[in-house]
Amino acid sequence: MPFTTQVHCHESTIMLSAIGHLDASAEAALQHCLDRIPLQATAVMVDLHRVPEMDTHGLLLLLHLHRRAECLGLRVMVVGWQAQPQRLMAQVARIPGPGSSIAQRYQVPGFRQLLQRRAQETTCWPQLPAARPEPDAVGQPAAN
């Protein structure tokens, strides 16, 4: 299911409705939403009612969106957590068992930092290989 968003403004609150699977393909749509937030906005409500699935990349994108909005001085609320995204957060946070109030914990800054750190530990982001020194004439790495 392709990811899309709908943005509605009500006075100084922005309602961002996410629709579809929240994964790496959602990056451009979420960035576009951030770019369109009016200067008079004071709060962003992210509605996840229509996000049935989320992977670790999607969780990191959501955390990035949250952090960027807070840096703009906005209060951020995330509502409508579905079962699979809650299970993913519990798994990433290493919180066992049902009934762990994951959706409520998301609002706590320290919990979001924990989620980000652990999600980054488990995600393979593209990395450039380390530069190697050029070999000298006998095939040994050149001394600097």
Side-chain angles (χ1 to χ4, degrees):
M1 167 185 270
F3 184 83
T4 61
T5 59
Q6 294 176 346
V7 178
H8 303 282
C9 300
H10 185 274
E11 296 179 7
S12 62
T13 301
I14 306 301
M15 170 68 102
L16 189 160
S17 297
I19 304 160
H21 297 260
L22 185 51
D23 56 24
S25 67
E27 185 171 8
L30 291 175
Q31 183 60 47
H32 183 70
C33 288
L34 270 176
D35 294 342
R36 293 178 40 208
I37 293 177
L39 294 175
Q40 70 273 18
T42 60
V44 175
M45 181 177 290
V46 180
D47 179 7
L48 299 178
H49 281 101
R50 296 193 283 175
V51 176
E53 291 185 29
M54 175 172 57
D55 66 11
T56 308
H57 288 280
L59 176 58
L60 286 168
L61 288 172
L62 182 62
L63 290 164
H64 178 73
L65 172 96
H66 195 131
R67 189 174 54 255
R68 289 275 317 278
E70 285 181 333
C71 287
L72 293 172
L74 300 169
R75 191 169 47 110
V76 181
M77 296 155 285
V78 181
V79 299
W81 289 96
Q82 299 303 301
Q84 188 277 336
Q86 288 190 61
R87 283 193 307 272
L88 173 75
M89 280 198 303
Q91 178 184 3
V92 168
R94 301 180 193 139
I95 298 174
S100 56
S101 303
I102 290 294
Q104 290 80 12
R105 290 179 191 213
Y106 178 86
Q107 291 303 117
V108 178
F111 184 69
R112 289 193 306 275
Q113 292 168 358
L114 171 78
L115 278 173
Q116 180 175 347
R117 188 175 67 249
R118 291 192 174 163
Q120 287 172 334
E121 290 170 1
T122 62
T123 303
C124 297
W125 292 99
Q127 296 181 0
L128 297 174
R132 291 186 230 164
E134 293 293 321
D136 64 12
V138 284
Q140 299 297 319
N144 292 339

